[in-house]
Amino acid sequence: MKNIKKIVTALLMSTIIIGGLIGCGNSASTSQSKSDSKTAATSSIDEIKKRGTIKIGVFSDKAPFGYVDSDGKNQGFDVYIAKRFAKDLLGDESKVEFVLVDAASRVSYLESKKVDVIMANFTVTDERKQKVDFTNPYMKVSLGIVSPDDAKITSEDQLKGKKIIVAKGTTAETYMTKNHPDVELVKFEQYSEIFQALKDKRGDAILSDNTEVIAWAKDNKGFTVGVPTLGSTDTIAPAVTKGNTELKEWINTELETLGKENFVHKAYDETLKSVYGEEFEDSLVVEGGKIK
């Protein structure tokens, strides 16, 4: 009987000791995990330099801001600026790895760390600020409405009773949902799809960034931007993973430095001027990361 008691006591003591060790192990593991998480959030520039490339998310179908040309190369306003970021961070503009995104996937690509930066004509909103960190802006934008000439929409009041085409995950969708919940929305994943949908008469008009609809209407006869400005003026800025202060501050400093040489105006001249002309330049460009 005494032997049995000794065995039971020994087993209980072993369980307590092992449990304590496991607890310590979990505590250490948790502490290490927190440390690793903190390191990941603060050492991204070192990681980018070690990797040798910076991964930047851009559009493939939103000319003239981000698109793939007939040779399979990334082009556009956002791309032009992204290449300069790569040159100044890694010494060579070819060190940028472009990752193609659509409007709805921009946040998730940052959250899953598929990209270091999003530069896909990303409008700054309070909702998005909860999920990603925006740097200072490089562009201003508002919404606009394009519709067929034979059924032109020239005021916001005329949206009632219409089918309005939008891209999913955009400020256009958010604006309509908030301000016109009774208006029927026809939603698509890709920007190329919304324009084809308007041509096919699957909707009465497109609501999207004014820069986009103005450019498209100029290239497509029979369509007019009857409402060039809708809602408030917003800003477009690069975005990084939430908490990545180091990379955010580097981009802000970079934009300030580039402002001294009017680089964003140069990017406009090279990629947007042929589409919008000189009259839109100062109303669209934000130089040095600060709105004057």
Side-chain angles (χ1 to χ4, degrees):
M1 189 69 178
K2 290 182 179 180
N3 289 336
I4 293 175
K5 286 183 178 180
K6 288 182 180 180
I7 293 171
V8 171
T9 301
L11 289 172
L12 287 172
M13 290 300 293
S14 298
T15 301
I16 291 169
I17 293 169
I18 292 170
L21 290 172
I22 291 173
C24 290
N26 285 341
S27 176
S29 177
T30 301
S31 177
Q32 182 64 40
S33 177
K34 289 180 179 179
S35 176
D36 289 345
S37 177
K38 185 177 180 181
T39 300
T42 58
S43 64
S44 66
I45 289 180
D46 285 340
E47 292 172 357
I48 289 168
K49 288 181 176 180
K50 185 176 180 180
R51 186 199 309 145
T53 60
I54 181 169
K55 298 179 181 179
I56 299 181
V58 295
F59 283 131
S60 64
D61 65 341
K62 194 176 182 182
F65 300 98
Y67 64 98
V68 177
D69 65 17
S70 57
D71 295 323
K73 295 182 179 179
N74 295 93
Q75 303 288 359
F77 183 65
D78 295 338
V79 171
Y80 192 96
I81 298 171
K83 287 181 178 179
R84 179 59 184 267
F85 283 1
K87 180 180 179 181
D88 290 348
L89 182 61
L90 299 172
D92 189 338
E93 69 174 34
S94 68
K95 296 292 177 104
V96 60
E97 179 183 340
F98 289 115
V99 180
L100 304 183
V101 300
D102 55 41
S105 69
R106 289 175 293 193
V107 170
S108 64
Y109 268 50
L110 279 174
E111 291 179 330
S112 60
K113 296 186 178 180
K114 292 180 181 178
V115 296
D116 302 305
V117 185
I118 285 288
M119 292 188 69
N121 214 229
F122 211 6
T123 306
V124 179
T125 68
D126 289 336
E127 182 181 2
R128 289 170 179 167
K129 285 179 181 178
Q130 302 301 312
K131 300 178 180 179
V132 303
D133 282 344
F134 285 99
T135 72
N136 292 333
Y138 59 89
M139 191 175 179
K140 295 173 287 185
V141 69
S142 63
L143 296 173
I145 300 173
V146 61
S147 54
D149 289 344
D150 57 3
K152 190 186 302 182
I153 293 177
T154 57
S155 72
E156 187 170 359
D157 293 339
Q158 295 173 6
L159 294 175
K160 187 175 181 180
K162 301 292 196 302
K163 290 183 178 180
I164 305 303
I165 302 167
V166 298
K168 292 181 181 179
T170 62
T171 51
E173 180 185 10
T174 302
Y175 183 86
M176 290 301 296
T177 301
K178 180 180 179 181
N179 296 285
H180 300 282
D182 297 331
V183 173
E184 182 179 352
L185 299 183
V186 184
K187 305 177 185 181
F188 295 93
E189 295 286 348
Q190 303 289 337
Y191 279 96
S192 55
E193 293 178 298
I194 68 175
F195 293 115
Q196 190 58 49
L198 185 59
K199 286 184 174 181
D200 294 343
K201 298 183 178 180
R202 284 177 277 168
D204 299 297
I206 290 173
L207 178 65
S208 192
D209 292 349
N210 60 352
T211 49
E212 179 183 337
V213 294
I214 290 169
W216 185 80
K218 284 187 175 183
D219 288 337
N220 290 270
K221 292 182 179 180
F223 297 92
T224 299
V225 179
V227 182
T229 303
L230 183 65
S232 60
T233 298
D234 296 311
T235 57
I236 288 175
V240 300
T241 304
K242 194 72 177 173
N244 194 343
T245 304
E246 184 188 29
L247 186 55
K248 175 183 174 180
E249 290 180 350
W250 184 89
I251 294 174
N252 284 339
T253 300
E254 173 75 351
L255 287 171
E256 185 177 355
T257 301
L258 294 179
K260 296 175 183 177
E261 59 182 83
N262 281 327
F263 179 80
V264 182
H265 279 84
K266 181 180 179 182
Y268 181 97
D269 291 344
E270 293 291 332
T271 61
L272 303 184
K273 191 173 182 177
S274 61
V275 177
Y276 301 109
E278 291 183 6
E279 65 269 27
F280 284 101
E281 186 164 351
D282 287 332
S283 63
L284 293 176
V285 168
V286 175
E287 196 69 75
K290 298 179 181 178
I291 298 176
K292 297 179 181 179

